[in-house]
Coordinates of all heavy atoms in Angstrom, one line a residue:
M181 N -25.8 -21.4 102.5 CA -25.2 -21.6 101.2 C -25.8 -22.8 100.6 O -25.9 -23.9 101.2 CB -23.7 -21.8 101.4 CG -23.0 -22.2 100.1 SD -21.2 -22.5 100.2 CE -21.2 -24.0 101.2
R182 N -26.1 -22.7 99.3 CA -26.7 -23.8 98.6 C -25.6 -24.5 97.7 O -24.7 -23.8 97.2 CB -27.8 -23.3 97.7 CG -28.9 -22.7 98.6 CD -30.0 -22.2 97.7 NE -30.7 -23.4 97.2 CZ -31.7 -23.4 96.3 NH1 -32.2 -22.2 96.0 NH2 -32.3 -24.5 95.9
F183 N -25.6 -25.8 97.6 CA -24.6 -26.5 96.8 C -25.2 -27.7 96.2 O -26.3 -28.2 96.5 CB -23.4 -26.8 97.7 CG -23.7 -27.8 98.8 CD1 -23.6 -29.1 98.6 CD2 -24.1 -27.3 100.1 CE1 -24.0 -30.0 99.7 CE2 -24.4 -28.1 101.1 CZ -24.3 -29.5 100.9
I184 N -24.4 -28.3 95.3 CA -24.7 -29.6 94.6 C -23.5 -30.5 94.8 O -22.4 -30.1 94.8 CB -25.0 -29.4 93.1 CG1 -26.3 -28.7 92.9 CG2 -24.9 -30.7 92.3 CD1 -26.7 -28.6 91.4
R185 N -23.8 -31.8 95.0 CA -22.8 -32.8 95.1 C -22.8 -33.6 93.9 O -23.9 -34.1 93.5 CB -23.0 -33.7 96.3 CG -22.7 -33.0 97.6 CD -22.9 -33.9 98.8 NE -24.4 -34.1 98.9 CZ -24.9 -34.9 99.8 NH1 -24.2 -35.6 100.6 NH2 -26.3 -34.9 99.8
L186 N -21.7 -33.8 93.3 CA -21.5 -34.7 92.1 C -20.4 -35.7 92.4 O -19.5 -35.4 93.2 CB -21.1 -33.9 90.8 CG -22.1 -33.0 90.2 CD1 -21.4 -32.3 89.0 CD2 -23.3 -33.7 89.8
G187 N -20.4 -36.8 91.8 CA -19.4 -37.8 91.9 C -19.3 -38.7 90.7 O -20.3 -38.9 90.0
D188 N -18.2 -39.3 90.5 CA -18.0 -40.3 89.5 C -18.4 -39.8 88.1 O -19.2 -40.5 87.4 CB -18.7 -41.6 89.9 CG -18.1 -42.2 91.1 OD1 -16.9 -42.6 91.1 OD2 -18.7 -42.2 92.2
T189 N -18.0 -38.7 87.7 CA -18.3 -38.2 86.3 C -17.6 -39.0 85.3 O -18.0 -39.2 84.2 CB -18.1 -36.7 86.2 OG1 -16.7 -36.4 86.5 CG2 -19.1 -35.9 87.0
H190 N -16.3 -39.5 85.6 CA -15.5 -40.3 84.7 C -15.4 -39.7 83.3 O -15.6 -40.4 82.3 CB -16.1 -41.7 84.7 CG -15.8 -42.5 85.9 ND1 -14.7 -43.2 86.1 CD2 -16.6 -42.7 87.0 CE1 -14.8 -43.8 87.3 NE2 -15.9 -43.5 87.9
L191 N -15.0 -38.4 83.2 CA -14.8 -37.8 81.9 C -13.7 -38.5 81.2 O -12.7 -38.8 81.7 CB -14.5 -36.3 82.1 CG -15.6 -35.5 82.7 CD1 -15.1 -34.1 83.0 CD2 -16.8 -35.4 81.8
G192 N -14.0 -38.8 79.9 CA -13.0 -39.5 79.1 C -13.3 -41.0 79.0 O -12.4 -41.8 78.5
V193 N -14.4 -41.4 79.5 CA -14.8 -42.9 79.5 C -14.8 -43.4 78.1 O -15.0 -42.6 77.1 CB -16.1 -43.0 80.3 CG1 -17.3 -42.5 79.5 CG2 -16.3 -44.5 80.6
K194 N -14.7 -44.7 77.9 CA -14.8 -45.4 76.6 C -13.7 -44.9 75.7 O -13.9 -44.5 74.6 CB -16.2 -45.2 75.9 CG -17.3 -45.6 76.7 CD -17.5 -47.1 76.7 CE -18.8 -47.5 77.4 NZ -18.8 -49.0 77.6
Q195 N -12.5 -44.9 76.2 CA -11.3 -44.5 75.5 C -11.4 -43.1 74.9 O -11.0 -42.9 73.8 CB -10.9 -45.5 74.4 CG -10.4 -46.9 74.9 CD -11.6 -47.8 75.3 OE1 -12.6 -47.8 74.7 NE2 -11.3 -48.5 76.4
G196 N -12.0 -42.2 75.6 CA -12.1 -40.8 75.2 C -13.1 -40.6 74.1 O -13.0 -39.6 73.3
S197 N -14.1 -41.4 74.1 CA -15.1 -41.4 73.0 C -15.7 -40.0 72.9 O -16.2 -39.4 73.9 CB -16.2 -42.4 73.3 OG -17.4 -42.1 72.6
D198 N -15.7 -39.4 71.7 CA -16.3 -38.1 71.5 C -17.8 -38.1 71.8 O -18.3 -37.1 72.3 CB -16.0 -37.6 70.1 CG -14.6 -37.2 69.8 OD1 -13.9 -36.8 70.8 OD2 -14.1 -37.3 68.7
V199 N -18.5 -39.2 71.4 CA -19.9 -39.3 71.7 C -20.2 -39.2 73.2 O -21.1 -38.5 73.6 CB -20.5 -40.5 71.0 CG1 -21.9 -40.8 71.4 CG2 -20.3 -40.5 69.5
M200 N -19.5 -40.0 73.9 CA -19.7 -40.0 75.4 C -19.3 -38.7 76.0 O -20.0 -38.2 76.9 CB -18.9 -41.2 76.0 CG -19.5 -42.5 75.8 SD -21.2 -42.7 76.4 CE -20.9 -42.4 78.2
L201 N -18.2 -38.1 75.6 CA -17.7 -36.9 76.1 C -18.8 -35.8 75.9 O -19.1 -34.9 76.7 CB -16.4 -36.5 75.5 CG -15.8 -35.2 76.1 CD1 -15.6 -35.3 77.6 CD2 -14.5 -34.8 75.4
K202 N -19.3 -35.7 74.7 CA -20.4 -34.7 74.4 C -21.5 -34.9 75.3 O -22.1 -33.9 75.9 CB -20.9 -34.8 72.9 CG -21.9 -33.8 72.6 CD -22.5 -33.9 71.2 CE -23.5 -32.9 70.9 NZ -24.4 -32.4 71.9
F203 N -22.0 -36.1 75.6 CA -23.1 -36.4 76.5 C -22.7 -35.9 77.9 O -23.5 -35.2 78.6 CB -23.4 -37.9 76.5 CG -24.4 -38.3 77.5 CD1 -25.7 -38.1 77.3 CD2 -24.0 -38.8 78.8 CE1 -26.7 -38.4 78.3 CE2 -24.9 -39.2 79.7 CZ -26.3 -39.0 79.5
Q204 N -21.5 -36.2 78.4 CA -21.0 -35.8 79.7 C -20.9 -34.3 79.8 O -21.3 -33.7 80.8 CB -19.7 -36.5 80.0 CG -19.7 -38.0 80.2 CD -18.4 -38.6 80.3 OE1 -17.5 -38.3 79.4 NE2 -18.2 -39.5 81.3
L205 N -20.4 -33.6 78.8 CA -20.2 -32.2 78.9 C -21.6 -31.5 78.8 O -21.8 -30.5 79.5 CB -19.3 -31.7 77.8 CG -17.9 -32.1 78.0 CD1 -17.0 -31.6 76.7 CD2 -17.2 -31.5 79.2
D206 N -22.5 -32.1 78.0 CA -23.9 -31.5 78.0 C -24.6 -31.7 79.4 O -25.3 -30.8 79.8 CB -24.7 -32.2 76.9 CG -24.4 -31.8 75.5 OD1 -23.7 -30.8 75.3 OD2 -24.8 -32.6 74.6
Y207 N -24.3 -32.8 80.0 CA -24.9 -33.0 81.4 C -24.3 -32.0 82.3 O -25.0 -31.3 83.1 CB -24.6 -34.4 81.9 CG -24.8 -34.6 83.3 CD1 -26.1 -34.6 83.8 CD2 -23.8 -34.6 84.2 CE1 -26.4 -34.8 85.1 CE2 -24.0 -34.8 85.6 CZ -25.3 -34.8 86.0 OH -25.6 -35.0 87.4
L208 N -23.0 -31.8 82.3 CA -22.3 -30.8 83.2 C -22.8 -29.4 82.9 O -23.1 -28.6 83.8 CB -20.8 -30.9 83.1 CG -20.2 -32.1 83.7 CD1 -18.7 -32.1 83.5 CD2 -20.5 -32.2 85.2
R209 N -23.0 -29.1 81.6 CA -23.6 -27.7 81.3 C -25.0 -27.6 81.9 O -25.3 -26.5 82.4 CB -23.6 -27.6 79.7 CG -24.1 -26.2 79.3 CD -23.9 -25.9 77.9 NE -22.6 -25.4 77.7 CZ -21.5 -26.0 77.2 NH1 -21.7 -27.3 76.8 NH2 -20.3 -25.5 77.1
Y210 N -25.8 -28.6 81.8 CA -27.1 -28.6 82.4 C -27.0 -28.3 83.9 O -27.8 -27.5 84.5 CB -27.8 -29.9 82.2 CG -29.1 -30.0 82.9 CD1 -30.3 -29.4 82.4 CD2 -29.2 -30.7 84.1 CE1 -31.5 -29.5 83.2 CE2 -30.4 -30.8 84.8 CZ -31.5 -30.2 84.4 OH -32.7 -30.3 85.1
V211 N -26.1 -29.0 84.6 CA -25.9 -28.8 86.0 C -25.5 -27.4 86.3 O -26.0 -26.8 87.2 CB -24.8 -29.8 86.6 CG1 -24.4 -29.5 88.0 CG2 -25.3 -31.2 86.5
F212 N -24.5 -26.8 85.6 CA -24.1 -25.4 85.8 C -25.3 -24.5 85.5 O -25.4 -23.5 86.3 CB -22.9 -25.1 84.9 CG -21.6 -25.5 85.4 CD1 -21.0 -26.6 84.8 CD2 -21.0 -24.9 86.4 CE1 -19.7 -27.1 85.3 CE2 -19.7 -25.3 86.9 CZ -19.1 -26.4 86.3
E213 N -26.0 -24.7 84.5 CA -27.2 -23.8 84.3 C -28.2 -23.9 85.4 O -28.8 -22.9 85.8 CB -27.8 -24.2 82.9 CG -27.0 -23.7 81.7 CD -26.9 -22.2 81.7 OE1 -27.8 -21.4 82.1 OE2 -25.8 -21.7 81.2
Y214 N -28.4 -25.1 85.9 CA -29.3 -25.3 87.0 C -28.8 -24.6 88.2 O -29.6 -23.9 88.9 CB -29.4 -26.8 87.4 CG -30.3 -27.1 88.5 CD1 -31.7 -27.3 88.3 CD2 -29.8 -27.2 89.8 CE1 -32.6 -27.6 89.4 CE2 -30.7 -27.5 90.9 CZ -32.1 -27.6 90.6 OH -32.9 -27.9 91.7
C215 N -27.5 -24.6 88.5 CA -26.9 -23.8 89.6 C -27.2 -22.3 89.4 O -27.6 -21.7 90.3 CB -25.4 -24.1 89.6 SG -25.0 -25.7 90.2
R216 N -27.0 -21.8 88.2 CA -27.2 -20.4 88.0 C -28.7 -20.0 88.2 O -29.0 -19.0 88.8 CB -26.8 -20.0 86.6 CG -25.4 -19.7 86.4 CD -25.1 -19.1 85.1 NE -23.7 -18.8 84.9 CZ -23.1 -18.6 83.8 NH1 -23.8 -18.7 82.7 NH2 -21.8 -18.3 83.7
S217 N -29.6 -20.9 87.7 CA -31.0 -20.6 87.8 C -31.5 -20.7 89.2 O -32.6 -20.1 89.5 CB -31.8 -21.6 86.9 OG -31.4 -21.5 85.6
N218 N -30.8 -21.4 90.1 CA -31.3 -21.6 91.4 C -30.4 -21.1 92.5 O -30.5 -21.5 93.7 CB -31.5 -23.1 91.6 CG -32.7 -23.7 90.8 OD1 -33.8 -23.5 91.1 ND2 -32.4 -24.3 89.7
D219 N -29.6 -20.1 92.1 CA -28.7 -19.5 93.1 C -27.8 -20.4 93.9 O -27.7 -20.3 95.1 CB -29.5 -18.5 94.0 CG -30.2 -17.4 93.3 OD1 -29.5 -16.9 92.3 OD2 -31.3 -17.1 93.6
I220 N -27.3 -21.4 93.2 CA -26.4 -22.4 93.9 C -25.0 -22.0 93.6 O -24.6 -21.8 92.4 CB -26.7 -23.8 93.3 CG1 -28.1 -24.2 93.7 CG2 -25.6 -24.8 93.9 CD1 -28.6 -25.5 93.1
E221 N -24.2 -21.8 94.6 CA -22.9 -21.2 94.5 C -21.7 -22.2 94.3 O -20.7 -21.8 93.8 CB -22.6 -20.4 95.8 CG -23.7 -19.4 96.1 CD -23.5 -18.8 97.5 OE1 -22.6 -19.2 98.3 OE2 -24.3 -17.9 97.9
V222 N -21.9 -23.4 94.8 CA -20.8 -24.3 94.9 C -21.2 -25.7 94.3 O -22.3 -26.2 94.6 CB -20.3 -24.5 96.3 CG1 -19.1 -25.5 96.4 CG2 -19.9 -23.2 96.9
I223 N -20.3 -26.3 93.6 CA -20.4 -27.7 93.2 C -19.3 -28.5 93.9 O -18.1 -28.2 93.8 CB -20.3 -27.9 91.7 CG1 -21.5 -27.2 91.0 CG2 -20.3 -29.4 91.3 CD1 -21.4 -27.3 89.5
Y224 N -19.7 -29.5 94.7 CA -18.7 -30.4 95.3 C -18.6 -31.7 94.4 O -19.5 -32.4 94.2 CB -19.1 -30.9 96.7 CG -19.1 -29.7 97.7 CD1 -20.2 -29.1 98.1 CD2 -17.9 -29.3 98.2 CE1 -20.2 -28.0 99.0 CE2 -17.8 -28.3 99.1 CZ -19.0 -27.7 99.5 OH -18.9 -26.6 100.4
Q225 N -17.4 -31.8 93.7 CA -17.1 -33.0 92.9 C -16.4 -34.0 93.8 O -15.3 -33.8 94.1 CB -16.3 -32.6 91.7 CG -15.7 -33.7 90.9 CD -16.7 -34.7 90.4 OE1 -17.8 -34.4 90.0 NE2 -16.4 -36.0 90.5
L226 N -17.1 -35.1 94.1 CA -16.5 -36.0 95.1 C -16.0 -37.3 94.4 O -16.6 -38.3 94.4 CB -17.6 -36.4 96.1 CG -18.1 -35.2 96.8 CD1 -19.3 -35.6 97.8 CD2 -17.1 -34.4 97.6
G227 N -14.8 -37.2 93.8 CA -14.1 -38.4 93.3 C -14.4 -38.7 91.8 O -15.5 -38.5 91.3
D228 N -13.3 -39.3 91.2 CA -13.4 -39.8 89.9 C -13.9 -38.8 88.8 O -14.8 -39.1 88.1 CB -14.1 -41.1 89.8 CG -13.5 -42.2 90.6 OD1 -12.3 -42.0 91.0 OD2 -14.1 -43.2 90.9
F229 N -13.3 -37.6 88.8 CA -13.7 -36.6 87.8 C -13.3 -37.1 86.4 O -14.1 -37.1 85.5 CB -13.0 -35.3 88.1 CG -13.5 -34.1 87.4 CD1 -14.9 -33.8 87.4 CD2 -12.7 -33.4 86.6 CE1 -15.4 -32.7 86.7 CE2 -13.2 -32.3 85.8 CZ -14.5 -32.0 85.9
F230 N -12.1 -37.6 86.3 CA -11.6 -38.2 85.0 C -11.7 -39.7 85.1 O -11.6 -40.2 86.2 CB -10.3 -37.7 84.6 CG -10.2 -36.2 84.2 CD1 -9.7 -35.3 85.1 CD2 -10.7 -35.8 83.0 CE1 -9.7 -33.9 84.8 CE2 -10.7 -34.4 82.7 CZ -10.2 -33.5 83.5
D231 N -11.7 -40.4 84.0 CA -11.8 -41.8 84.0 C -10.5 -42.6 84.1 O -10.4 -43.6 84.8 CB -12.6 -42.3 82.8 CG -12.9 -43.8 82.9 OD1 -13.6 -44.1 83.8 OD2 -12.5 -44.5 82.0
V232 N -9.5 -42.1 83.4 CA -8.2 -42.9 83.3 C -7.2 -42.4 84.4 O -7.0 -41.3 84.5 CB -7.7 -42.8 81.9 CG1 -6.4 -43.6 81.8 CG2 -8.7 -43.3 80.9
R233 N -6.6 -43.4 85.1 CA -5.7 -43.1 86.1 C -4.4 -42.6 85.6 O -3.8 -41.7 86.2 CB -5.5 -44.4 86.9 CG -4.5 -44.3 88.0 CD -4.2 -45.6 88.7 NE -5.4 -46.3 89.1 CZ -5.9 -46.2 90.3 NH1 -5.4 -45.5 91.2 NH2 -7.0 -46.9 90.6
K234 N -3.8 -43.1 84.5 CA -2.5 -42.8 84.1 C -2.3 -41.5 83.2 O -1.3 -41.0 83.1 CB -1.9 -44.0 83.3 CG -1.7 -45.2 84.2 CD -0.6 -45.0 85.2 CE -0.4 -46.3 86.0 NZ 0.6 -46.1 87.0
F235 N -3.4 -41.1 82.6 CA -3.3 -39.9 81.8 C -4.7 -39.3 81.6 O -5.7 -39.9 82.1 CB -2.7 -40.2 80.4 CG -3.5 -41.3 79.6 CD1 -4.6 -40.9 78.8 CD2 -3.2 -42.6 79.8 CE1 -5.3 -41.9 78.1 CE2 -3.9 -43.6 79.1 CZ -5.0 -43.2 78.3
V236 N -4.8 -38.2 81.0 CA -6.1 -37.5 80.7 C -6.2 -37.3 79.2 O -5.3 -36.8 78.6 CB -6.2 -36.2 81.4 CG1 -7.5 -35.5 81.1 CG2 -6.1 -36.3 82.9
Y237 N -7.4 -37.7 78.6 CA -7.6 -37.5 77.2 C -7.7 -36.0 77.0 O -8.4 -35.2 77.7 CB -8.9 -38.2 76.7 CG -8.7 -39.6 76.7 CD1 -9.3 -40.5 77.6 CD2 -8.1 -40.2 75.6 CE1 -9.1 -41.8 77.6 CE2 -7.9 -41.6 75.5 CZ -8.5 -42.4 76.5 OH -8.3 -43.8 76.4
V238 N -7.0 -35.5 76.0 CA -6.9 -34.1 75.7 C -8.3 -33.5 75.4 O -8.7 -32.4 75.9 CB -6.0 -33.8 74.5 CG1 -6.0 -32.3 74.1 CG2 -4.6 -34.2 74.9
N239 N -9.1 -34.3 74.7 CA -10.5 -33.8 74.4 C -11.3 -33.6 75.6 O -12.1 -32.6 75.8 CB -11.2 -34.6 73.3 CG -11.4 -36.1 73.8 OD1 -10.8 -36.5 74.7 ND2 -12.2 -36.8 73.1
A240 N -11.1 -34.5 76.6 CA -11.9 -34.3 77.9 C -11.3 -33.1 78.7 O -12.1 -32.4 79.2 CB -11.7 -35.6 78.7
L241 N -10.0 -33.0 78.7 CA -9.4 -31.9 79.5 C -9.8 -30.5 78.9 O -10.2 -29.6 79.6 CB -7.9 -32.0 79.4 CG -7.1 -31.1 80.3 CD1 -7.5 -31.1 81.7 CD2 -5.6 -31.3 80.1
M242 N -9.7 -30.4 77.5 CA -10.1 -29.2 76.9 C -11.6 -28.9 77.0 O -12.0 -27.7 77.2 CB -9.7 -29.2 75.4 CG -8.2 -29.1 75.2 SD -7.4 -27.8 76.2 CE -8.1 -26.3 75.4
G243 N -12.4 -29.9 76.9 CA -13.9 -29.7 77.1 C -14.2 -29.2 78.5 O -15.0 -28.3 78.6
V244 N -13.6 -29.8 79.5 CA -13.8 -29.3 80.9 C -13.3 -27.9 81.0 O -13.9 -27.0 81.7 CB -13.2 -30.3 81.9 CG1 -13.2 -29.7 83.2 CG2 -14.0 -31.6 81.9
H245 N -12.1 -27.6 80.5 CA -11.5 -26.3 80.6 C -12.4 -25.3 80.0 O -12.7 -24.2 80.7 CB -10.1 -26.3 79.9 CG -9.6 -24.9 79.8 ND1 -9.0 -24.3 80.9 CD2 -9.5 -24.1 78.8 CE1 -8.6 -23.1 80.5 NE2 -8.9 -22.9 79.2
N246 N -12.9 -25.5 78.9 CA -13.8 -24.5 78.2 C -15.1 -24.3 79.0 O -15.6 -23.2 79.2 CB -14.2 -25.0 76.8 CG -12.9 -24.9 75.9 OD1 -12.0 -24.2 76.2 ND2 -12.9 -25.7 74.8
L247 N -15.6 -25.4 79.6 CA -16.8 -25.4 80.4 C -16.6 -24.5 81.6 O -17.4 -23.7 82.0 CB -17.3 -26.8 80.7 CG -18.7 -26.9 81.3 CD1 -19.7 -26.5 80.3 CD2 -18.9 -28.3 81.8
L248 N -15.5 -24.8 82.3 CA -15.2 -24.1 83.5 C -14.9 -22.6 83.3 O -15.3 -21.7 84.1 CB -14.0 -24.7 84.3 CG -14.3 -26.1 84.8 CD1 -13.0 -26.7 85.5 CD2 -15.5 -26.2 85.7
E249 N -14.4 -22.3 82.1 CA -14.2 -20.9 81.8 C -15.5 -20.2 81.6 O -15.7 -19.0 81.9 CB -13.3 -20.8 80.5 CG -11.9 -21.0 80.7 CD -11.2 -19.9 81.4 OE1 -11.4 -18.7 81.1 OE2 -10.5 -20.3 82.4
E250 N -16.5 -20.9 81.0 CA -17.8 -20.3 80.8 C -18.6 -20.1 82.1 O -19.4 -19.2 82.1 CB -18.6 -21.3 79.9 CG -19.9 -20.8 79.4 CD -20.6 -21.8 78.5 OE1 -19.9 -22.7 77.9 OE2 -21.8 -21.7 78.3
Y251 N -18.3 -20.9 83.1 CA -19.1 -20.8 84.4 C -18.1 -20.4 85.5 O -18.2 -21.1 86.6 CB -19.8 -22.1 84.6 CG -20.8 -22.4 83.6 CD1 -20.6 -23.2 82.5 CD2 -22.1 -21.8 83.7 CE1 -21.6 -23.5 81.6 CE2 -23.1 -22.1 82.8 CZ -22.8 -22.9 81.7 OH -23.8 -23.2 80.8
K252 N -17.4 -19.4 85.4 CA -16.4 -19.0 86.4 C -17.1 -18.5 87.7 O -16.5 -18.5 88.8 CB -15.5 -17.9 85.9 CG -14.5 -18.3 85.0 CD -13.6 -17.1 84.6 CE -12.5 -17.6 83.7 NZ -11.6 -16.5 83.3
D253 N -18.4 -18.2 87.6 CA -19.1 -17.7 88.8 C -19.5 -18.8 89.7 O -19.9 -18.5 90.9 CB -20.3 -16.9 88.3 CG -21.3 -17.7 87.4 OD1 -20.7 -18.4 86.5 OD2 -22.5 -17.6 87.6
I254 N -19.4 -20.0 89.4 CA -19.7 -21.1 90.2 C -18.4 -21.8 90.7 O -17.6 -22.2 89.9 CB -20.6 -22.1 89.5 CG1 -21.9 -21.4 89.1 CG2 -20.9 -23.4 90.4 CD1 -22.8 -22.2 88.1
R255 N -18.3 -21.9 92.0 CA -17.1 -22.5 92.6 C -17.1 -24.0 92.5 O -18.2 -24.6 92.8 CB -16.9 -22.0 94.0 CG -15.5 -22.2 94.5 CD -15.3 -21.6 95.9 NE -15.8 -22.4 96.9 CZ -16.6 -22.1 97.9 NH1 -17.1 -20.8 97.9 NH2 -17.0 -22.9 98.8
I256 N -16.0 -24.7 92.2 CA -15.9 -26.1 92.3 C -14.9 -26.5 93.4 O -13.8 -26.0 93.5 CB -15.3 -26.7 90.9 CG1 -16.1 -26.2 89.7 CG2 -15.2 -28.2 91.0 CD1 -17.4 -26.7 89.6
E257 N -15.4 -27.4 94.3 CA -14.6 -28.0 95.3 C -14.4 -29.5 94.9 O -15.4 -30.1 94.6 CB -15.2 -27.9 96.7 CG -15.4 -26.5 97.1 CD -14.1 -25.8 97.5 OE1 -13.1 -26.5 97.9 OE2 -14.0 -24.5 97.4
W258 N -13.2 -30.0 94.9 CA -12.9 -31.3 94.3 C -12.2 -32.2 95.3 O -11.2 -31.7 95.9 CB -12.1 -31.1 93.0 CG -11.7 -32.3 92.3 CD1 -12.5 -33.2 91.7 CD2 -10.3 -32.7 92.1 NE1 -11.7 -34.1 91.1 CE2 -10.4 -33.9 91.4 CE3 -9.1 -32.2 92.5 CZ2 -9.3 -34.6 91.0 CZ3 -8.0 -32.9 92.1 CH2 -8.1 -34.1 91.4
A259 N -12.7 -33.4 95.5 CA -12.0 -34.4 96.3 C -11.6 -35.5 95.3 O -12.4 -36.0 94.6 CB -12.8 -34.9 97.4
P260 N -10.3 -35.8 95.2 CA -9.9 -36.9 94.3 C -10.4 -38.3 94.7 O -10.5 -38.6 95.8 CB -8.3 -36.8 94.4 CG -8.0 -36.2 95.7 CD -9.2 -35.3 96.0
G261 N -10.7 -39.0 93.6 CA -11.1 -40.4 93.8 C -10.0 -41.3 93.3 O -8.9 -40.9 92.9
N262 N -10.2 -42.6 93.3 CA -9.2 -43.6 92.9 C -8.8 -43.4 91.5 O -7.6 -43.7 91.1 CB -9.6 -45.0 93.3 CG -10.8 -45.5 92.5 OD1 -11.8 -44.7 92.4 ND2 -10.8 -46.6 91.9
H263 N -9.7 -43.0 90.6 CA -9.3 -42.8 89.2 C -8.6 -41.5 89.0 O -8.0 -41.3 87.9 CB -10.6 -42.8 88.3 CG -11.2 -44.1 88.1 ND1 -11.2 -44.7 86.8 CD2 -11.7 -45.0 88.9 CE1 -11.8 -45.9 86.9 NE2 -12.1 -46.1 88.2
D264 N -8.6 -40.6 90.0 CA -7.8 -39.4 89.9 C -6.4 -39.5 90.4 O -5.6 -38.6 90.2 CB -8.6 -38.3 90.6 CG -10.0 -38.0 90.1 OD1 -10.1 -38.0 88.9 OD2 -10.9 -37.9 90.9
Q265 N -6.1 -40.6 91.0 CA -4.7 -40.8 91.5 C -3.9 -41.5 90.4 O -4.4 -42.2 89.6 CB -4.7 -41.8 92.7 CG -5.5 -41.2 93.9 CD -5.7 -42.3 94.9 OE1 -6.7 -42.3 95.6 NE2 -4.8 -43.2 95.0
T266 N -2.6 -41.2 90.4 CA -1.7 -41.8 89.3 C -1.3 -43.2 89.7 O -1.0 -44.0 88.8 CB -0.5 -40.9 89.1 OG1 0.2 -40.7 90.3 CG2 -0.9 -39.6 88.5
T267 N -1.3 -43.5 91.0 CA -1.1 -44.9 91.4 C -2.1 -45.3 92.4 O -2.8 -44.5 93.0 CB 0.3 -45.1 92.0 OG1 0.4 -44.3 93.3 CG2 1.4 -44.5 91.1
K268 N -2.2 -46.6 92.7 CA -3.2 -47.1 93.7 C -2.8 -46.8 95.1 O -3.6 -46.8 96.0 CB -3.3 -48.6 93.5 CG -4.0 -49.0 92.2 CD -4.2 -50.5 92.1 CE -4.9 -50.8 90.8 NZ -5.2 -52.2 90.7
T269 N -1.5 -46.5 95.3 CA -1.0 -46.3 96.7 C -0.5 -45.0 97.1 O -0.1 -44.8 98.2 CB 0.1 -47.4 97.0 OG1 1.2 -47.1 96.1 CG2 -0.4 -48.8 96.8
D270 N -0.6 -44.0 96.2 CA 0.0 -42.7 96.4 C -0.9 -41.6 95.8 O -1.4 -41.8 94.7 CB 1.4 -42.7 95.8 CG 2.2 -41.4 96.1 OD1 1.7 -40.6 96.9 OD2 3.3 -41.3 95.5
L271 N -1.0 -40.5 96.5 CA -1.9 -39.4 96.0 C -1.0 -38.3 95.2 O -1.6 -37.4 94.7 CB -2.5 -38.7 97.1 CG -3.7 -39.4 97.8 CD1 -4.2 -38.7 99.0 CD2 -4.8 -39.7 96.8
S272 N 0.3 -38.5 95.1 CA 1.1 -37.6 94.4 C 0.8 -37.6 92.9 O 0.3 -38.6 92.4 CB 2.6 -37.8 94.6 OG 3.0 -39.0 94.0
L273 N 1.2 -36.6 92.1 CA 0.9 -36.5 90.7 C 2.2 -37.0 89.9 O 2.1 -36.9 88.7 CB 0.5 -35.1 90.3 CG -0.8 -34.6 90.9 CD1 -1.0 -33.2 90.6 CD2 -1.9 -35.5 90.5
S274 N 3.2 -37.4 90.5 CA 4.4 -37.8 89.7 C 4.4 -39.3 89.4 O 3.6 -40.0 89.8 CB 5.6 -37.5 90.5 OG 5.6 -38.2 91.8

């Protein structure tokens, strides 16, 4: 099985900047296209997928949602990082 490892994408960086988000989503689209072109089945996202711990910017969430809908044939395995946790001491989402 072939795979790619990613980490620290920090989607929504710079207070949800549309310019940065476009750059980040274009990069992720490039990664997905690379996977398709090279028969890579899985992407391992290892921590800090989103940038802000307490909430997710809607534009970042919708951008990722649309991207993942477009590339359903590639599986994503995700390990949360410190920016993906809602508190510094707990992994729960509440």
Side-chain angles (χ1 to χ4, degrees):
M181 174 181 69
R182 300 180 69 182
F183 62 89
I184 286 183
R185 287 180 289 177
L186 293 178
D188 296 295
T189 53
H190 288 274
L191 295 171
V193 71
K194 302 282 187 192
Q195 290 81 39
S197 163
D198 288 332
V199 172
M200 285 300 298
L201 182 61
K202 181 183 180 330
F203 174 80
Q204 291 171 312
L205 293 174
D206 286 347
Y207 168 73
L208 289 176
R209 181 168 277 105
Y210 172 82
V211 170
F212 279 104
E213 285 297 328
Y214 180 87
C215 289
R216 276 190 178 161
S217 299
N218 292 281
D219 298 319
I220 297 172
E221 304 168 359
V222 181
I223 296 174
Y224 290 101
Q225 167 56 41
L226 304 175
D228 295 345
F229 191 60
F230 291 104
D231 188 58
V232 180
R233 177 187 307 267
K234 295 291 182 182
F235 58 89
V236 176
Y237 287 101
V238 173
N239 60 345
L241 186 60
M242 291 308 299
V244 167
H245 171 76
N246 294 337
L247 192 67
L248 295 178
E249 284 291 314
E250 186 177 339
Y251 294 97
K252 286 183 177 182
D253 56 317
I254 300 169
R255 195 172 85 231
I256 307 290
E257 297 289 334
W258 178 66
N262 64 313
H263 284 243
D264 300 315
Q265 299 170 211
T266 55
T267 67
K268 291 182 180 182
T269 59
D270 187 6
L271 289 175
S272 70
L273 296 176
S274 56

